[in-house]
Amino acid sequence: MEYKPIRKVVSGNYAAAYAVKHARVEVVAAYPITPQTSIIEKIAEFLANGEVENLEYVPVESEHSAMAACIGASAAGARVFTATSAQGLALMHEMLHWASGARLPVVMVDVNRAMAPPWSVWDDQTDSLAQRDTGWMQFYAENNQEVYDGVLMAFKVAETVNLPAMVVESAFILSHTYDVVEMIPQELVDEFLPPRKPLYTLTDFDNPIAVGALGTPADYYEFRYKIQKAMEKAKEVIRDVGKEFGEKFGRDYSQMIELYRTEDADFVFMGMGSLMGTVKQAVDVLREEGYKVGAAKVRWFRPFPKEELYELAKNVEGIAVLDRNYSFGMEGILFTEAKGALYNTKAKPLMKNYIVGLGGRDFTVSDVRKIAENMKAIIEKGELDVEVDWYHLKR
Amino acid sequence: MEIPENVRKRLSIPADEHFYAGHTACQGCGASLGLRYVLKAYGKKTIFAIPACCSTIIAGPWPYSALDANLFHTAFETTGAVIGGIEAALKAKGYKVKGEDGIMVVGWAGDGGTADIGLQALSGFLERGHDAVYIMYDNEAYMNTGIQRSSSTPYGAWTTNTPGGKMHFLEKRNKKKVIDIVIAHEVPYAATASIAYPEDFIRKLKKAQKIPGPSFIQLFAPCPTGWRSPTDKSIELARLAVQTAYFPLFEYENGKYKINMPSTKKEPKPIEEFLKYQGRFKYMTKEDIERLQEWVNREWEKLKKLAEVFG
């Protein structure tokens, strides 16, 4: 069947819901929390209109139970989805470990939202990045198209390596903003994403199993190592699945870090999620103004694409790491990761951390220009002014 | 061991064993006996979800399992949610769930994991109406972690959080009536049961299997370790808990209450009968015992009234 995309104008949240429908998800368990809510509302609408079959919808009483129900359903062999945001994700934290530890390929959309207090419903990546060590893969979407594509790819990758995956989109900037999304006809999604083949199942009664039993010091260590091996394998799978997606549907995701106009760049802006759309636009503007700059969008934060980062770092003089998140007592989280990944390599570009857009603060093309001016100055001088720049701070 | 057919026919409890010897329960453990009865009633076509509790240990460490049934060990507060999720997946995949030939999804959790940390997930499970059975085995404290009080610990009991001492720092609250909270959800079936009355327990398990929707059974299961009681007195203590009406046996089915006491004519024995053999109650004063007796009387009268009016 020839690929003819179906174009729909949808919000990021609806893009996620359509992907869930097209992935033929069997169990959705979720708790409503702003700004994620419209994902599960849309799925309920699909059910109400008879647009999905064989989907069990479990409206649970908390995010902790949402993830627990997803884990039970996934252990029983189903393809499972949930969605959450900020405080809800924090409440799920314990069960995120359970999903990866039990090797269950649950897929979730997290709508990035700042943590309280003070209360905020706006964009900020600290919620998802705080889940860094839970054994979940993390894909950061730049736009609604990537939310849709990301969910479909996440299922394929997760079910191949038996680890859970999170697709992350920005609160309101994507979740509630409408844009054209090219959707894939159901038959082609079915070809791309066949039914799940579980690693184990609780429904073989002749050969019963016990999952998640006590792991003594003689065995626990090896369980952890196997998760790491699965994460390493996930890198290959992600690149293959991304390539296959590109060949079939025209949008290539084979690079774990998407490079934009970096070939001859003196320095690049590196970041994740929707802010990179702004950065790409700014790169075009800055290029016309004579700056030799590019953008490096980290698509997959876990597993972390060390190899791509090294290749990039070899060829640039500076990297401006834009963090819409913060690890208190240290610095932006992506900055730590990127520096750490390069420490034992020969690539030593000047790296500076710009903390931007926390709690939904606007981040615009003119902000990128100011950062470019600063980067240019420090590269010429050959040393940093400050390592971590709270860029928007009212002084 | 092969049981001759003529003997097998006369047995009121299924002869089949799906809970293996070699499990790691303490001597005289009421919970392990309860688990054995559940497996006798439901057979191996059962999926268990067991949270952090004694049974996590009893079932055995990886790669072992004492259960001849599928088992998912889960986090402390999640039993209700996990069995809901398993049931949803089975339905989405087209399996028959519950009923005589369906897959039995069973949550098996202690009193702490049910009455305290797991209460929210239990409520969600009951309220959404999943076709599964939730069994709370009640040994009246957190036994697995070293005998800490739970909200199911009775008035006057010693635990490691209520150690008595010079200041008489014993448990000061009455036992939480979890089954009343369950019934408030208008569940189709809820019951109390005791390891001292296995026929009654198995009958209730079978009933829970047949009735669609969520079922709840609160199983009284003595713990010699935590109760500071002789290991050969567990059944006797469980029986005395019923005979004193400290833990009366009853069923709630679609709005109707039915008391299932071994003898309906006999008045309950005094609470002292239940307290004996148990080191956990030895710090109680005469006034403490009177207060506990008052609570038992009050709750027993309330139950009788409910059975009379809604019987």
Side-chain angles (χ1 to χ4, degrees), chain A residues 26 56 59 61-62 64 69 71-73 77 94 98 202-205 208-214, chain B residues 44 47 62 69-75 77-78 81-82 85-86 88-90 93 95 120-121 128:
Chain A
E26 293 163 303
E56 288 288 318
E61 78 290 347
S62 80
H64 196 280
I71 284 162
E94 181 199 16
W98 218 279
L202 298 176
T203 48
D204 181 354
F205 298 102
I209 51 167
V211 183
L214 185 74
Chain B
K44 58 196 289 182
I47 302 175
W62 187 87
N70 284 295
L71 163 57
F72 191 79
H73 290 272
T74 187
E77 63 279 54
T78 62
V82 166
I86 293 171
L90 295 178
K93 293 203 155 289
Y95 289 99
Q120 179 175 303
R128 289 188 301 271

mmCIF file of all heavy atoms in Angstrom, chain A residues 26 56 59 61-62 64 69 71-73 77 94 98 202-205 208-214, chain B residues 44 47 62 69-75 77-78 81-82 85-86 88-90 93 95 120-121 128:
data_model
loop_
_atom_site.group_PDB
_atom_site.id
_atom_site.type_symbol
_atom_site.label_atom_id
_atom_site.label_comp_id
_atom_site.label_asym_id
_atom_site.label_seq_id
_atom_site.Cartn_x
_atom_site.Cartn_y
_atom_site.Cartn_z
ATOM 1 N N GLU A 26 -4.401 -1.730 23.920
ATOM 2 C CA GLU A 26 -5.445 -2.582 24.495
ATOM 3 C C GLU A 26 -5.936 -2.129 25.865
ATOM 4 O O GLU A 26 -7.074 -2.384 26.232
ATOM 5 C CB GLU A 26 -4.916 -4.029 24.574
ATOM 6 C CG GLU A 26 -4.716 -4.636 23.198
ATOM 7 C CD GLU A 26 -3.828 -5.868 23.212
ATOM 8 O OE1 GLU A 26 -2.677 -5.775 23.685
ATOM 9 O OE2 GLU A 26 -4.288 -6.926 22.751
ATOM 10 N N GLU A 56 -9.652 -1.508 26.688
ATOM 11 C CA GLU A 56 -10.205 -1.366 28.039
ATOM 12 C C GLU A 56 -9.701 -0.045 28.605
ATOM 13 O O GLU A 56 -8.491 0.208 28.632
ATOM 14 C CB GLU A 56 -9.784 -2.537 28.928
ATOM 15 C CG GLU A 56 -10.459 -3.851 28.600
ATOM 16 C CD GLU A 56 -11.930 -3.887 28.992
ATOM 17 O OE1 GLU A 56 -12.272 -3.390 30.086
ATOM 18 O OE2 GLU A 56 -12.736 -4.409 28.190
ATOM 19 N N PRO A 59 -10.403 4.317 34.254
ATOM 20 C CA PRO A 59 -10.223 5.643 34.872
ATOM 21 C C PRO A 59 -9.896 5.487 36.355
ATOM 22 O O PRO A 59 -10.790 5.301 37.165
ATOM 23 C CB PRO A 59 -11.587 6.307 34.661
ATOM 24 C CG PRO A 59 -12.553 5.172 34.560
ATOM 25 C CD PRO A 59 -11.819 3.929 34.148
ATOM 26 N N GLU A 61 -7.919 6.184 40.226
ATOM 27 C CA GLU A 61 -8.097 7.205 41.263
ATOM 28 C C GLU A 61 -6.817 7.977 41.567
ATOM 29 O O GLU A 61 -6.838 8.891 42.374
ATOM 30 C CB GLU A 61 -8.684 6.566 42.530
ATOM 31 C CG GLU A 61 -7.708 5.802 43.405
ATOM 32 C CD GLU A 61 -7.199 4.500 42.814
ATOM 33 O OE1 GLU A 61 -7.769 4.021 41.818
ATOM 34 O OE2 GLU A 61 -6.207 3.975 43.335
ATOM 35 N N SER A 62 -5.708 7.624 40.917
ATOM 36 C CA SER A 62 -4.478 8.400 41.088
ATOM 37 C C SER A 62 -3.471 7.979 40.024
ATOM 38 O O SER A 62 -3.627 6.913 39.411
ATOM 39 C CB SER A 62 -3.854 8.161 42.465
ATOM 40 O OG SER A 62 -3.134 6.943 42.481
ATOM 41 N N HIS A 64 -0.485 7.067 40.678
ATOM 42 C CA HIS A 64 0.222 5.895 41.198
ATOM 43 C C HIS A 64 -0.526 4.636 40.771
ATOM 44 O O HIS A 64 0.073 3.667 40.285
ATOM 45 C CB HIS A 64 0.328 5.986 42.728
ATOM 46 C CG HIS A 64 1.341 5.055 43.298
ATOM 47 N ND1 HIS A 64 1.061 3.719 43.487
ATOM 48 C CD2 HIS A 64 2.619 5.238 43.689
ATOM 49 C CE1 HIS A 64 2.148 3.130 43.985
ATOM 50 N NE2 HIS A 64 3.104 4.038 44.106
ATOM 51 N N ALA A 69 -1.860 -0.038 37.432
ATOM 52 C CA ALA A 69 -2.801 -0.757 36.562
ATOM 53 C C ALA A 69 -2.144 -1.057 35.214
ATOM 54 O O ALA A 69 -2.312 -2.153 34.656
ATOM 55 C CB ALA A 69 -4.076 0.066 36.370
ATOM 56 N N ILE A 71 0.958 -1.564 34.699
ATOM 57 C CA ILE A 71 1.936 -2.617 34.939
ATOM 58 C C ILE A 71 1.244 -3.979 35.003
ATOM 59 O O ILE A 71 1.698 -4.945 34.382
ATOM 60 C CB ILE A 71 2.736 -2.277 36.218
ATOM 61 C CG1 ILE A 71 3.735 -1.185 35.877
ATOM 62 C CG2 ILE A 71 3.427 -3.488 36.807
ATOM 63 C CD1 ILE A 71 4.275 -0.456 37.063
ATOM 64 N N GLY A 72 0.130 -4.036 35.727
ATOM 65 C CA GLY A 72 -0.636 -5.289 35.775
ATOM 66 C C GLY A 72 -1.085 -5.713 34.389
ATOM 67 O O GLY A 72 -0.941 -6.870 33.986
ATOM 68 N N ALA A 73 -1.598 -4.751 33.629
ATOM 69 C CA ALA A 73 -2.114 -5.041 32.283
ATOM 70 C C ALA A 73 -0.986 -5.466 31.345
ATOM 71 O O ALA A 73 -1.132 -6.386 30.539
ATOM 72 C CB ALA A 73 -2.841 -3.816 31.732
ATOM 73 N N GLY A 77 0.122 -9.138 29.306
ATOM 74 C CA GLY A 77 0.373 -9.276 27.872
ATOM 75 C C GLY A 77 -0.194 -8.197 26.970
ATOM 76 O O GLY A 77 -0.008 -8.244 25.758
ATOM 77 N N GLU A 94 7.535 5.718 41.940
ATOM 78 C CA GLU A 94 7.849 4.384 42.449
ATOM 79 C C GLU A 94 7.531 3.317 41.392
ATOM 80 O O GLU A 94 8.305 2.392 41.154
ATOM 81 C CB GLU A 94 7.038 4.109 43.713
ATOM 82 C CG GLU A 94 7.345 2.747 44.295
ATOM 83 C CD GLU A 94 6.280 2.232 45.250
ATOM 84 O OE1 GLU A 94 5.154 2.761 45.260
ATOM 85 O OE2 GLU A 94 6.581 1.276 45.980
ATOM 86 N N TRP A 98 9.083 0.021 38.819
ATOM 87 C CA TRP A 98 8.491 -1.310 38.726
ATOM 88 C C TRP A 98 8.322 -1.722 37.260
ATOM 89 O O TRP A 98 8.556 -2.873 36.886
ATOM 90 C CB TRP A 98 7.142 -1.342 39.466
ATOM 91 C CG TRP A 98 6.969 -2.646 40.175
ATOM 92 C CD1 TRP A 98 6.544 -3.825 39.614
ATOM 93 C CD2 TRP A 98 7.240 -2.941 41.541
ATOM 94 N NE1 TRP A 98 6.549 -4.823 40.553
ATOM 95 C CE2 TRP A 98 6.966 -4.313 41.752
ATOM 96 C CE3 TRP A 98 7.698 -2.178 42.622
ATOM 97 C CZ2 TRP A 98 7.127 -4.932 42.998
ATOM 98 C CZ3 TRP A 98 7.850 -2.799 43.845
ATOM 99 C CH2 TRP A 98 7.572 -4.152 44.020
ATOM 100 N N LEU A 202 1.320 -13.826 32.049
ATOM 101 C CA LEU A 202 0.725 -14.415 33.256
ATOM 102 C C LEU A 202 -0.425 -15.351 32.897
ATOM 103 O O LEU A 202 -1.150 -15.806 33.768
ATOM 104 C CB LEU A 202 0.221 -13.302 34.177
ATOM 105 C CG LEU A 202 1.257 -12.319 34.713
ATOM 106 C CD1 LEU A 202 0.587 -11.225 35.541
ATOM 107 C CD2 LEU A 202 2.300 -13.029 35.569
ATOM 108 N N THR A 203 -0.593 -15.627 31.615
ATOM 109 C CA THR A 203 -1.745 -16.425 31.193
ATOM 110 C C THR A 203 -1.365 -17.837 30.744
ATOM 111 O O THR A 203 -2.217 -18.573 30.250
ATOM 112 C CB THR A 203 -2.512 -15.717 30.047
ATOM 113 O OG1 THR A 203 -1.569 -15.295 29.066
ATOM 114 C CG2 THR A 203 -3.278 -14.527 30.566
ATOM 115 N N ASP A 204 -0.117 -18.224 30.941
ATOM 116 C CA ASP A 204 0.244 -19.616 30.675
ATOM 117 C C ASP A 204 0.125 -20.368 32.008
ATOM 118 O O ASP A 204 1.006 -20.295 32.859
ATOM 119 C CB ASP A 204 1.679 -19.694 30.132
ATOM 120 C CG ASP A 204 2.091 -21.135 29.826
ATOM 121 O OD1 ASP A 204 1.304 -22.062 30.146
ATOM 122 O OD2 ASP A 204 3.186 -21.338 29.283
ATOM 123 N N PHE A 205 -0.974 -21.094 32.149
ATOM 124 C CA PHE A 205 -1.248 -21.714 33.455
ATOM 125 C C PHE A 205 -0.582 -23.076 33.602
ATOM 126 O O PHE A 205 -0.564 -23.641 34.684
ATOM 127 C CB PHE A 205 -2.760 -21.788 33.695
ATOM 128 C CG PHE A 205 -3.379 -20.420 33.725
ATOM 129 C CD1 PHE A 205 -4.080 -19.916 32.631
ATOM 130 C CD2 PHE A 205 -3.213 -19.600 34.831
ATOM 131 C CE1 PHE A 205 -4.625 -18.646 32.649
ATOM 132 C CE2 PHE A 205 -3.745 -18.329 34.860
ATOM 133 C CZ PHE A 205 -4.452 -17.847 33.771
ATOM 134 N N PRO A 208 3.404 -21.801 35.186
ATOM 135 C CA PRO A 208 3.248 -20.547 35.940
ATOM 136 C C PRO A 208 4.591 -19.904 36.278
ATOM 137 O O PRO A 208 5.602 -20.598 36.436
ATOM 138 C CB PRO A 208 2.506 -20.988 37.204
ATOM 139 C CG PRO A 208 2.753 -22.440 37.341
ATOM 140 C CD PRO A 208 2.938 -22.966 35.947
ATOM 141 N N ILE A 209 4.567 -18.593 36.384
ATOM 142 C CA ILE A 209 5.780 -17.844 36.726
ATOM 143 C C ILE A 209 5.486 -16.893 37.882
ATOM 144 O O ILE A 209 4.329 -16.531 38.115
ATOM 145 C CB ILE A 209 6.332 -17.030 35.531
ATOM 146 C CG1 ILE A 209 5.216 -16.178 34.913
ATOM 147 C CG2 ILE A 209 6.964 -17.941 34.503
ATOM 148 C CD1 ILE A 209 5.717 -15.133 33.967
ATOM 149 N N ALA A 210 6.541 -16.502 38.560
ATOM 150 C CA ALA A 210 6.437 -15.466 39.594
ATOM 151 C C ALA A 210 7.332 -14.319 39.153
ATOM 152 O O ALA A 210 8.528 -14.501 38.969
ATOM 153 C CB ALA A 210 6.871 -16.013 40.945
ATOM 154 N N VAL A 211 6.724 -13.159 38.949
ATOM 155 C CA VAL A 211 7.483 -11.993 38.480
ATOM 156 C C VAL A 211 7.701 -11.031 39.640
ATOM 157 O O VAL A 211 6.775 -10.769 40.393
ATOM 158 C CB VAL A 211 6.708 -11.261 37.358
ATOM 159 C CG1 VAL A 211 7.530 -10.101 36.822
ATOM 160 C CG2 VAL A 211 6.326 -12.217 36.256
ATOM 161 N N GLY A 212 8.902 -10.517 39.737
ATOM 162 C CA GLY A 212 9.156 -9.473 40.731
ATOM 163 C C GLY A 212 9.385 -9.997 42.134
ATOM 164 O O GLY A 212 9.272 -9.255 43.102
ATOM 165 N N ALA A 213 9.713 -11.287 42.250
ATOM 166 C CA ALA A 213 9.953 -11.865 43.573
ATOM 167 C C ALA A 213 11.193 -11.241 44.210
ATOM 168 O O ALA A 213 11.908 -10.459 43.577
ATOM 169 C CB ALA A 213 10.139 -13.377 43.449
ATOM 170 N N LEU A 214 11.428 -11.602 45.445
ATOM 171 C CA LEU A 214 12.601 -11.116 46.163
ATOM 172 C C LEU A 214 13.870 -11.487 45.391
ATOM 173 O O LEU A 214 14.048 -12.642 45.012
ATOM 174 C CB LEU A 214 12.626 -11.777 47.545
ATOM 175 C CG LEU A 214 13.718 -11.315 48.505
ATOM 176 C CD1 LEU A 214 13.398 -9.933 49.058
ATOM 177 C CD2 LEU A 214 13.861 -12.314 49.640
ATOM 178 N N LYS B 44 -5.181 -23.792 39.639
ATOM 179 C CA LYS B 44 -4.005 -23.118 39.079
ATOM 180 C C LYS B 44 -4.330 -22.071 38.016
ATOM 181 O O LYS B 44 -3.466 -21.327 37.592
ATOM 182 C CB LYS B 44 -3.004 -24.149 38.556
ATOM 183 C CG LYS B 44 -3.548 -25.084 37.488
ATOM 184 C CD LYS B 44 -2.646 -26.287 37.326
ATOM 185 C CE LYS B 44 -1.340 -25.861 36.659
ATOM 186 N NZ LYS B 44 -0.458 -27.003 36.451
ATOM 187 N N ILE B 47 -4.377 -15.891 38.646
ATOM 188 C CA ILE B 47 -3.275 -14.923 38.621
ATOM 189 C C ILE B 47 -3.316 -14.145 39.927
ATOM 190 O O ILE B 47 -4.308 -13.488 40.229
ATOM 191 C CB ILE B 47 -3.385 -13.957 37.427
ATOM 192 C CG1 ILE B 47 -3.409 -14.731 36.096
ATOM 193 C CG2 ILE B 47 -2.231 -12.944 37.452
ATOM 194 C CD1 ILE B 47 -3.644 -13.858 34.871
ATOM 195 N N TRP B 62 13.369 -15.147 43.978
ATOM 196 C CA TRP B 62 13.686 -15.535 42.611
ATOM 197 C C TRP B 62 14.825 -16.561 42.643
ATOM 198 O O TRP B 62 15.763 -16.380 43.410
ATOM 199 C CB TRP B 62 14.119 -14.303 41.815
ATOM 200 C CG TRP B 62 14.310 -14.599 40.368
ATOM 201 C CD1 TRP B 62 13.359 -14.581 39.388
ATOM 202 C CD2 TRP B 62 15.539 -14.984 39.725
ATOM 203 N NE1 TRP B 62 13.914 -14.933 38.191
ATOM 204 C CE2 TRP B 62 15.237 -15.190 38.356
ATOM 205 C CE3 TRP B 62 16.842 -15.196 40.176
ATOM 206 C CZ2 TRP B 62 16.212 -15.577 37.430
ATOM 207 C CZ3 TRP B 62 17.818 -15.593 39.252
ATOM 208 C CH2 TRP B 62 17.493 -15.777 37.902
ATOM 209 N N ALA B 69 0.687 -21.285 40.465
ATOM 210 C CA ALA B 69 -0.200 -20.334 39.787
ATOM 211 C C ALA B 69 0.670 -19.141 39.409
ATOM 212 O O ALA B 69 1.756 -18.969 39.962
ATOM 213 C CB ALA B 69 -1.324 -19.891 40.715
ATOM 214 N N ASN B 70 0.188 -18.348 38.457
ATOM 215 C CA ASN B 70 0.957 -17.166 38.056
ATOM 216 C C ASN B 70 0.888 -16.105 39.140
ATOM 217 O O ASN B 70 -0.156 -15.880 39.742
ATOM 218 C CB ASN B 70 0.446 -16.631 36.724
ATOM 219 C CG ASN B 70 0.903 -17.490 35.571
ATOM 220 O OD1 ASN B 70 2.095 -17.582 35.299
ATOM 221 N ND2 ASN B 70 -0.027 -18.177 34.921
ATOM 222 N N LEU B 71 2.016 -15.457 39.331
ATOM 223 C CA LEU B 71 2.119 -14.532 40.460
ATOM 224 C C LEU B 71 2.877 -13.283 40.035
ATOM 225 O O LEU B 71 3.983 -13.365 39.485
ATOM 226 C CB LEU B 71 2.851 -15.252 41.611
ATOM 227 C CG LEU B 71 3.434 -14.416 42.750
ATOM 228 C CD1 LEU B 71 2.367 -13.569 43.412
ATOM 229 C CD2 LEU B 71 4.095 -15.322 43.778
ATOM 230 N N PHE B 72 2.286 -12.137 40.285
ATOM 231 C CA PHE B 72 2.974 -10.860 40.047
ATOM 232 C C PHE B 72 3.175 -10.172 41.392
ATOM 233 O O PHE B 72 2.215 -9.782 42.044
ATOM 234 C CB PHE B 72 2.163 -9.977 39.091
ATOM 235 C CG PHE B 72 2.936 -8.787 38.599
ATOM 236 C CD1 PHE B 72 3.871 -8.920 37.585
ATOM 237 C CD2 PHE B 72 2.747 -7.536 39.166
ATOM 238 C CE1 PHE B 72 4.608 -7.830 37.134
ATOM 239 C CE2 PHE B 72 3.486 -6.434 38.726
ATOM 240 C CZ PHE B 72 4.414 -6.593 37.703
ATOM 241 N N HIS B 73 4.432 -10.067 41.792
ATOM 242 C CA HIS B 73 4.762 -9.350 43.028
ATOM 243 C C HIS B 73 4.704 -7.862 42.725
ATOM 244 O O HIS B 73 5.331 -7.403 41.767
ATOM 245 C CB HIS B 73 6.180 -9.684 43.464
ATOM 246 C CG HIS B 73 6.363 -11.082 43.962
ATOM 247 N ND1 HIS B 73 6.171 -11.442 45.273
ATOM 248 C CD2 HIS B 73 6.736 -12.222 43.332
ATOM 249 C CE1 HIS B 73 6.430 -12.733 45.435
ATOM 250 N NE2 HIS B 73 6.774 -13.227 44.267
ATOM 251 N N THR B 74 3.998 -7.110 43.539
ATOM 252 C CA THR B 74 3.890 -5.685 43.224
ATOM 253 C C THR B 74 4.183 -4.803 44.436
ATOM 254 O O THR B 74 4.456 -5.284 45.521
ATOM 255 C CB THR B 74 2.509 -5.368 42.610
ATOM 256 O OG1 THR B 74 2.507 -4.010 42.182
ATOM 257 C CG2 THR B 74 1.390 -5.557 43.621
ATOM 258 N N ALA B 75 4.130 -3.499 44.200
ATOM 259 C CA ALA B 75 4.468 -2.538 45.247
ATOM 260 C C ALA B 75 3.359 -2.481 46.291
ATOM 261 O O ALA B 75 2.198 -2.806 46.030
ATOM 262 C CB ALA B 75 4.701 -1.164 44.633
ATOM 263 N N GLU B 77 1.326 -0.453 47.881
ATOM 264 C CA GLU B 77 0.019 0.197 47.896
ATOM 265 C C GLU B 77 -0.808 -0.068 46.638
ATOM 266 O O GLU B 77 -1.756 0.639 46.358
ATOM 267 C CB GLU B 77 0.198 1.705 48.093
ATOM 268 C CG GLU B 77 0.969 2.431 46.976
ATOM 269 C CD GLU B 77 2.481 2.304 47.081
ATOM 270 O OE1 GLU B 77 2.969 1.166 47.165
ATOM 271 O OE2 GLU B 77 3.171 3.332 47.044
ATOM 272 N N THR B 78 -0.412 -1.065 45.838
ATOM 273 C CA THR B 78 -0.972 -1.140 44.485
ATOM 274 C C THR B 78 -1.868 -2.342 44.209
ATOM 275 O O THR B 78 -2.327 -2.490 43.075
ATOM 276 C CB THR B 78 0.168 -1.188 43.453
ATOM 277 O OG1 THR B 78 0.934 -2.376 43.674
ATOM 278 C CG2 THR B 78 1.059 0.023 43.530
ATOM 279 N N ALA B 81 -5.071 -1.685 42.261
ATOM 280 C CA ALA B 81 -4.835 -1.159 40.919
ATOM 281 C C ALA B 81 -4.272 -2.239 40.000
ATOM 282 O O ALA B 81 -4.662 -2.346 38.828
ATOM 283 C CB ALA B 81 -3.890 0.034 40.977
ATOM 284 N N VAL B 82 -3.368 -3.048 40.517
ATOM 285 C CA VAL B 82 -2.725 -4.059 39.677
ATOM 286 C C VAL B 82 -3.731 -5.140 39.253
ATOM 287 O O VAL B 82 -3.773 -5.520 38.082
ATOM 288 C CB VAL B 82 -1.502 -4.674 40.394
ATOM 289 C CG1 VAL B 82 -1.034 -5.938 39.704
ATOM 290 C CG2 VAL B 82 -0.364 -3.667 40.419
ATOM 291 N N GLY B 85 -5.792 -3.762 36.576
ATOM 292 C CA GLY B 85 -5.072 -3.728 35.299
ATOM 293 C C GLY B 85 -4.995 -5.097 34.650
ATOM 294 O O GLY B 85 -5.181 -5.236 33.431
ATOM 295 N N ILE B 86 -4.722 -6.108 35.465
ATOM 296 C CA ILE B 86 -4.650 -7.479 34.919
ATOM 297 C C ILE B 86 -6.004 -7.880 34.340
ATOM 298 O O ILE B 86 -6.092 -8.396 33.218
ATOM 299 C CB ILE B 86 -4.201 -8.477 36.023
ATOM 300 C CG1 ILE B 86 -2.746 -8.200 36.445
ATOM 301 C CG2 ILE B 86 -4.352 -9.923 35.548
ATOM 302 C CD1 ILE B 86 -2.277 -8.988 37.669
ATOM 303 N N ALA B 88 -8.357 -5.935 33.230
ATOM 304 C CA ALA B 88 -8.623 -5.158 32.010
ATOM 305 C C ALA B 88 -7.891 -5.774 30.819
ATOM 306 O O ALA B 88 -8.459 -5.895 29.724
ATOM 307 C CB ALA B 88 -8.189 -3.705 32.215
ATOM 308 N N ALA B 89 -6.645 -6.169 31.030
ATOM 309 C CA ALA B 89 -5.867 -6.766 29.937
ATOM 310 C C ALA B 89 -6.481 -8.084 29.490
ATOM 311 O O ALA B 89 -6.599 -8.350 28.284
ATOM 312 C CB ALA B 89 -4.420 -6.981 30.387
ATOM 313 N N LEU B 90 -6.889 -8.894 30.443
ATOM 314 C CA LEU B 90 -7.489 -10.194 30.092
ATOM 315 C C LEU B 90 -8.754 -9.972 29.266
ATOM 316 O O LEU B 90 -9.003 -10.667 28.279
ATOM 317 C CB LEU B 90 -7.813 -11.000 31.355
ATOM 318 C CG LEU B 90 -6.619 -11.441 32.219
ATOM 319 C CD1 LEU B 90 -7.101 -12.189 33.460
ATOM 320 C CD2 LEU B 90 -5.645 -12.321 31.433
ATOM 321 N N LYS B 93 -8.028 -8.842 25.783
ATOM 322 C CA LYS B 93 -7.494 -9.951 24.984
ATOM 323 C C LYS B 93 -8.517 -11.059 24.787
ATOM 324 O O LYS B 93 -8.211 -12.089 24.169
ATOM 325 C CB LYS B 93 -6.225 -10.502 25.636
ATOM 326 C CG LYS B 93 -5.074 -9.505 25.593
ATOM 327 C CD LYS B 93 -3.738 -10.173 25.706
ATOM 328 C CE LYS B 93 -2.632 -9.351 25.073
ATOM 329 N NZ LYS B 93 -2.660 -9.290 23.614
ATOM 330 N N TYR B 95 -10.152 -13.008 27.086
ATOM 331 C CA TYR B 95 -10.241 -14.134 28.020
ATOM 332 C C TYR B 95 -11.527 -14.037 28.841
ATOM 333 O O TYR B 95 -12.009 -12.947 29.105
ATOM 334 C CB TYR B 95 -9.057 -14.126 28.992
ATOM 335 C CG TYR B 95 -7.727 -14.480 28.383
ATOM 336 C CD1 TYR B 95 -6.821 -13.493 28.015
ATOM 337 C CD2 TYR B 95 -7.360 -15.813 28.193
ATOM 338 C CE1 TYR B 95 -5.585 -13.810 27.473
ATOM 339 C CE2 TYR B 95 -6.127 -16.140 27.648
ATOM 340 C CZ TYR B 95 -5.252 -15.137 27.291
ATOM 341 O OH TYR B 95 -4.043 -15.454 26.757
ATOM 342 N N GLN B 120 -6.551 3.352 49.234
ATOM 343 C CA GLN B 120 -7.007 4.153 48.082
ATOM 344 C C GLN B 120 -7.160 3.283 46.842
ATOM 345 O O GLN B 120 -8.172 3.360 46.137
ATOM 346 C CB GLN B 120 -5.997 5.266 47.821
ATOM 347 C CG GLN B 120 -6.345 6.138 46.645
ATOM 348 C CD GLN B 120 -5.390 7.297 46.503
ATOM 349 O OE1 GLN B 120 -5.215 8.089 47.418
ATOM 350 N NE2 GLN B 120 -4.752 7.410 45.357
ATOM 351 N N ALA B 121 -6.171 2.429 46.599
ATOM 352 C CA ALA B 121 -6.254 1.556 45.421
ATOM 353 C C ALA B 121 -7.363 0.525 45.592
ATOM 354 O O ALA B 121 -8.034 0.159 44.621
ATOM 355 C CB ALA B 121 -4.911 0.863 45.178
ATOM 356 N N ARG B 128 -14.737 0.805 40.691
ATOM 357 C CA ARG B 128 -14.785 0.622 39.237
ATOM 358 C C ARG B 128 -15.410 -0.701 38.834
ATOM 359 O O ARG B 128 -15.702 -0.918 37.662
ATOM 360 C CB ARG B 128 -13.372 0.718 38.642
ATOM 361 C CG ARG B 128 -12.792 2.103 38.658
ATOM 362 C CD ARG B 128 -11.485 2.150 37.881
ATOM 363 N NE ARG B 128 -10.485 1.247 38.410
ATOM 364 C CZ ARG B 128 -9.608 1.561 39.357
ATOM 365 N NH1 ARG B 128 -9.621 2.761 39.892
ATOM 366 N NH2 ARG B 128 -8.723 0.682 39.780
#
